[in-house]
Amino acid sequence: MSLSTITEKLLRQGHGLLAADESLQTIHKRFAALGIEQTEENRRAWRDLLVTTPNISEFISGVILYEETLEQLTDENIRIPEFLTQVGIEVGIKVDQGTKPFSGHSPELITEGLDKLNERLTRYHDLGATFAKWRAVYMISSTTPSDVTLIENARLLARYALACQEAGLVPIVEPEVLMDGDHDVATCSQVTEKVLHHVFENLHLYHVAPENILLKPSMILPGKNIKLRPTPEATAHSTLNILRRCVPVAVPGICFLSGGQSETDATANLNAMKQISPNPPWKLSFSYARALQNSAMKAWGGHPKNKQLAQTIFSNRAKLNSLASQGLYKPSMEI
Ligand code: 13P
């Protein structure tokens, strides 16, 4: 399949992405918080629950998986990637290998994963993946992000993206400006603008085709310690302003991460962007992990008997985000 066909499928109207690619450490943290046993079977069962939710392909066009899920089976003994392909959902794969302390630049983190990337991409492609993800993180403080972090993360994202395009996978380029801290909206705007300029300059330098990537940015928000939260309209304005300054119109789509926002905030903010700007230069949608999964995982609690209830909750959340991606969501639709 050509890269442009893959992006078209991922960006079809009223659809977004589910990030179900938490590393072992991250999913275990989520399980632990809910008293769910941290086992491989529970990771499989949770991901089976998400992908086999009835009619989820009405709202979700792609699911980003963690490496182990590529080889795991649904309850009906079908390989999860194969099942997704059968129901018309593109298979994505997290290819970075997580963040590590950036030596000499503590407390900043740098993303690892270029080692043997070409071979891994070929394998993922053979296992059914059509797109990939790499996440870089940026901390906001009086001394961060440092210039070196801006330069190095952008270089890594560009090298990863080029490798994906050469291997026939659409790269999701994910520079996440973290919400941790007590910074204001103006600081988040300034930092995000700098981050995105570095990223697009490097994508250009490394000859990555902007037509064949998806951008997965964070929204422009104050630090999570700030009590007074902006309205969805204010967030939409600040976020769109920065994206217009930095993202070439050749980029087909921008699928936001949720970054620790509540489920309803993430939905309302996306909706406000589509209402303020009904025809933006790029398709706008979602690629949420927590904002799609939190309530459903809580309802499941690791118990097979709760599978159907959790699927209903997940399906409803996906539907509300589908509506938000079209500017059609209303808070009164929340149950
Ligand atoms: P959240 O939506 O929970 O921020 O996760 C998105 C993601 O894929 C992080 O890499």
Side-chain angles (χ1 to χ4, degrees):
M1 207 180 341
S2 73
L3 296 177
S4 58
T5 305
I6 299 166
T7 55
E8 270 168 37
K9 283 177 178 250
L10 289 172
L11 293 170
R12 61 187 188 272
Q13 162 99 338
H15 287 71
L17 310 181
L18 163 67
D21 61 337
E22 297 85 356
S23 64
L24 298 189
Q25 203 188 355
T26 304
I27 196 157
H28 283 171
K29 196 167 82 185
R30 309 255 153 89
F31 280 179
L34 297 170
I36 300 169
E37 212 190 331
Q38 302 166 23
T39 60
E40 180 182 350
E41 171 50 20
N42 272 343
R43 298 194 298 274
R44 187 208 63 78
W46 174 242
R47 270 107 188 213
D48 163 77
L49 182 156
L50 292 172
V51 303
T52 62
T53 293
N55 304 324
I56 200 66
S57 61
E58 285 176 28
F59 317 118
I60 299 289
S61 53
V63 177
I64 313 172
L65 302 176
Y66 185 62
E67 187 166 15
E68 77 168 355
T69 317
L70 284 177
E71 316 239 27
Q72 286 175 330
L73 305 177
T74 63
D75 286 354
E76 305 295 324
N77 282 326
I78 305 173
R79 265 199 328 111
I80 286 181
E82 216 169 288
F83 178 84
L84 285 168
T85 307
Q86 279 172 16
V87 296
I89 295 179
E90 294 304 306
V91 177
I93 175 75
K94 171 187 173 74
V95 305
D96 69 69
Q97 294 178 321
T99 55
K100 305 277 149 54
F102 191 4
S103 154
H105 298 277
S106 174
E108 292 186 288
L109 301 173
I110 197 78
T111 306
E112 296 197 333
L114 287 186
D115 290 350
K116 300 212 166 76
L117 180 60
N118 292 337
E119 288 125 86
R120 287 195 288 127
L121 289 173
T122 306
R123 191 174 143 253
Y124 300 148
H125 190 262
D126 291 346
L127 286 168
T130 57
F131 70 106
K133 179 189 110 171
W134 179 291
R135 172 175 175 257
V137 297
Y138 303 85
M139 295 172 178
I140 298 187
S141 73
S142 56
T143 54
T144 62
S146 64
D147 288 345
V148 175
T149 294
L150 290 166
I151 293 166
E152 192 60 12
N153 269 330
R155 196 183 67 83
L156 290 165
L157 280 167
R159 287 195 54 194
Y160 139 80
L162 185 65
C164 286
Q165 291 186 342
E166 286 179 347
L169 285 96
V170 168
I172 295 188
V173 172
E174 181 179 4
E176 176 172 5
V177 177
L178 297 170
M179 239 165 73
D180 303 303
D182 48 17
H183 50 270
D184 57 16
V185 169
T187 308
C188 183
S189 293
Q190 282 158 13
V191 168
T192 306
E193 186 172 354
K194 241 197 252 185
V195 163
L196 291 176
H197 277 308
H198 275 84
V199 168
F200 282 100
E201 184 187 357
N202 277 270
L203 292 176
H204 171 71
L205 282 174
Y206 283 79
H207 298 169
V208 175
E211 293 80 4
N212 294 328
I213 70 161
L214 296 182
L215 179 69
K216 175 161 171 168
S218 33
M219 297 182 193
I220 305 292
L221 291 162
K224 67 177 180 213
N225 299 341
I226 301 288
K227 292 240 159 51
L228 187 64
R229 305 309 294 172
T231 61
E233 291 69 33
T235 298
H237 276 295
S238 333
T239 304
L240 287 169
N241 279 347
I242 295 303
L243 294 174
R244 283 199 198 96
R245 285 186 179 187
C246 307
V247 184
V249 297
V251 172
I254 298 179
C255 301
F256 292 95
L257 59 91
S258 61
Q261 300 179 64
S262 70
E263 291 177 346
T264 48
D265 283 356
T267 307
N269 288 338
L270 174 61
N271 187 63
M273 283 186 232
K274 272 300 283 188
Q275 289 198 333
I276 284 168
S277 182
N279 294 303
W282 340 263
K283 297 251 170 66
L284 295 180
S285 193
F286 57 91
S287 176
Y288 297 155
R290 284 165 287 180
L292 278 169
Q293 296 185 45
N294 278 355
S295 299
M297 189 186 282
K298 198 166 167 193
W300 174 61
H303 305 295
K305 67 173 174 11
N306 298 333
K307 180 172 179 178
Q308 225 183 332
L309 171 66
Q311 286 185 326
T312 306
I313 293 171
F314 168 56
S315 176
N316 183 56
R317 202 69 247 152
K319 180 180 178 181
L320 295 178
N321 282 304
S322 157
L323 290 169
S325 73
Q326 303 168 80
L328 299 173
Y329 162 81
K330 293 190 187 66
S332 59
M333 293 169 172
E334 297 288 343
I335 310 166

